[in-house]
Amino acid sequence: MQGEFSIAGRPVGPDHPPYIVAEMSGNHNGDINRAFRILEAAKAAGADAVKLQTYTADTITLDHDGPEFLIHGGLWDGRRLHELYEEAHTPWDWHGPIFDKARALGITVFSTPFDPTAIDLLESLGAPAYKIASQELVDLPLIRLVAATGKPMILSTGMGSLEEIREAVDAARDAGAEQIVVLHCVSAYPAPADETNLRTIADLADKLGVVTGLSDHTMDTTIATLSVAMGACLIEKHVTLARADGGVDSAFSLEPDELARLVRDTRMAHAALGAPAYRPTRSEEAGLKFRRSLYVVEDVPAGAELTARNIRSIRPSNGLAPKHYETVLGRRATRDLTRGEPLSADMVEGGIDA
């Protein structure tokens, strides 16, 4: 199993709270100042990183009117691919200012490159990690180029078969990647909760020997929080300033207060997982005194028989453990016993074996 590693100094792995990535995507709505505000909101919410997408409409598709270049169904029904990507892309000359703003705020920023020129741009800016989008999972040449940077890689697996996922991971490793996170993903926008199959997260870790996580497109934070119990070490969610502002991805994006809730709840969920434990916790120690034990409930003269009438299992826990109840019944008192005394071994004729 691949061990933990770090993105810009923040450890990522099962022993650490989930690494939370706020995906900006096209939610800047063509306004760099809105992009800056998303960075600020993500920082205030406690996210670990903001992720961009680095492409132009011409590097990701063709300006073509053919039916295969039209989207049929879903959130973007009827849109031309080129038109959609032209609206959603983050201009390349914004990248430098966005990286500078993130450094000033103290939040990590990295991106999803979609072609070699995007990798070159991001390398020039010192990107600390890279994400491979679900649709590019099958683009093994791109994966190899990203892997050759030696930076941590995050692979989304939406629509992927196990064979395709394994091929992508093998291609990354063969090209030199040693720090890989594989994100279970359902590439539907929004994704139905009953199709998320969160047990896949642990299964991927087992089958591939990698750190795993979740790229989540459901409508709230419930699924992402649940994923922590399945071993998710990195969680990615789209983020916008306000869904009402519109934008290509706003309908399935979190608002800042929801992102803050995601950060809080996933950290709580991770802390709650702990480790197998079969002993009183610190918070339980005070309650030990309220366990049951054997007490004298009626005065008993010396030499008298101990019976169900004068010995009972009650709270608190100062007497013999209740497991000795049947053993002491029928025995005789070694001295006068007073109602309210905890029963101890020296009060019972013949003693009690531990």
Side-chain angles (χ1 to χ4, degrees):
M1 174 69 183
Q2 171 190 295
E4 69 177 48
F5 57 89
S6 296
I7 296 176
R10 162 66 154 88
V12 179
D15 293 333
H16 302 278
Y19 189 95
I20 305 298
V21 178
E23 165 68 82
M24 184 186 301
S25 184
N27 284 329
H28 49 66
N29 293 357
D31 180 354
I32 193 171
N33 289 313
R34 183 181 174 89
F36 292 158
R37 293 199 301 275
I38 290 174
L39 290 173
E40 293 165 352
K43 172 65 177 180
D48 295 289
V50 171
K51 191 182 76 62
L52 312 176
Q53 295 184 13
T54 305
Y55 63 86
T56 68
D58 291 325
T59 64
I60 201 169
T61 191
L62 288 178
D63 188 358
H64 197 286
D65 292 329
E68 64 267 40
F69 292 91
L70 290 176
I71 300 172
H72 302 282
L75 186 61
W76 305 296
D77 184 41
R79 300 288 300 271
R80 293 174 60 241
L81 286 178
H82 193 275
E83 173 199 4
L84 178 66
Y85 294 137
E86 183 64 33
E87 176 186 342
H89 86 287
T90 301
W92 286 28
D93 58 0
W94 289 13
H95 281 63
I98 287 174
F99 271 69
D100 289 342
K101 177 71 170 180
R103 279 190 285 269
L105 290 171
I107 189 169
T108 298
V109 65
F110 60 93
S111 189
T112 298
F114 289 83
D115 79 308
T117 61
I119 299 171
D120 292 341
L121 171 63
L122 294 167
E123 280 292 282
S124 75
L125 295 171
Y130 289 97
K131 165 79 184 296
I132 299 295
S134 288
Q135 288 82 351
E136 277 61 45
L137 181 72
V138 295
D139 190 346
L140 301 187
L142 178 67
I143 288 172
R144 292 187 188 102
L145 286 175
V146 170
T149 68
K151 306 285 181 63
M153 289 184 66
I154 303 161
L155 300 173
S156 265
T157 61
M159 302 171 291
S161 67
L162 180 59
E163 180 182 1
E164 289 170 336
I165 297 167
R166 196 184 299 277
E167 285 179 347
V169 171
D170 288 345
R173 285 173 168 159
D174 290 346
E178 297 179 352
Q179 304 170 98
I180 301 171
V181 183
V182 174
L183 302 186
H184 175 52
C185 178
V186 177
S187 293
Y189 309 93
D194 61 358
E195 293 184 8
T196 52
N197 295 312
L198 290 180
R199 288 188 174 94
T200 308
I201 295 169
D203 198 52
L204 282 170
D206 181 60
K207 284 183 166 63
L208 301 177
V210 292
V211 172
T212 52
L214 178 69
S215 178
D216 181 34
H217 301 126
T218 58
M219 290 300 294
D220 60 21
T221 62
T222 302
I223 299 301
T225 301
L226 286 171
S227 76
V228 178
M230 296 294 106
C233 299
L234 186 151
I235 295 169
E236 178 187 74
K237 287 283 282 187
H238 282 67
V239 174
T240 186
L241 294 177
R243 283 186 291 274
D245 292 344
V248 294
D249 293 337
S250 62
F252 57 90
S253 297
L254 298 183
E255 295 182 346
D257 62 324
E258 295 166 328
L259 177 61
R261 183 171 72 235
L262 174 70
V263 172
R264 182 195 68 221
D265 290 353
T266 54
R267 287 178 179 169
M268 186 184 303
H270 181 267
L273 289 177
Y278 304 99
R279 63 185 184 279
T281 66
R282 286 192 300 273
S283 62
E284 290 177 313
E285 287 173 358
L288 289 172
K289 64 184 178 182
F290 298 115
R291 280 181 155 187
R292 286 178 174 264
S293 68
L294 301 184
Y295 265 75
V296 179
V297 295
E298 285 188 357
D299 291 348
V300 181
E305 184 179 350
L306 302 180
T307 68
R309 183 181 178 88
N310 54 39
I311 300 296
R312 282 176 51 203
S313 169
I314 62 169
R315 298 181 183 186
S317 61
N318 295 350
L320 288 170
K323 67 182 180 181
H324 298 298
Y325 180 67
E326 287 84 0
T327 302
V328 303
L329 292 181
R331 300 277 192 93
R332 298 190 178 277
T334 58
R335 62 170 176 81
D336 290 341
L337 307 182
T338 304
R339 181 178 183 272
E341 280 192 277
L343 188 69
S344 60
D346 62 358
M347 297 177 180
V348 181
E349 189 179 70
I352 298 293
D353 293 333

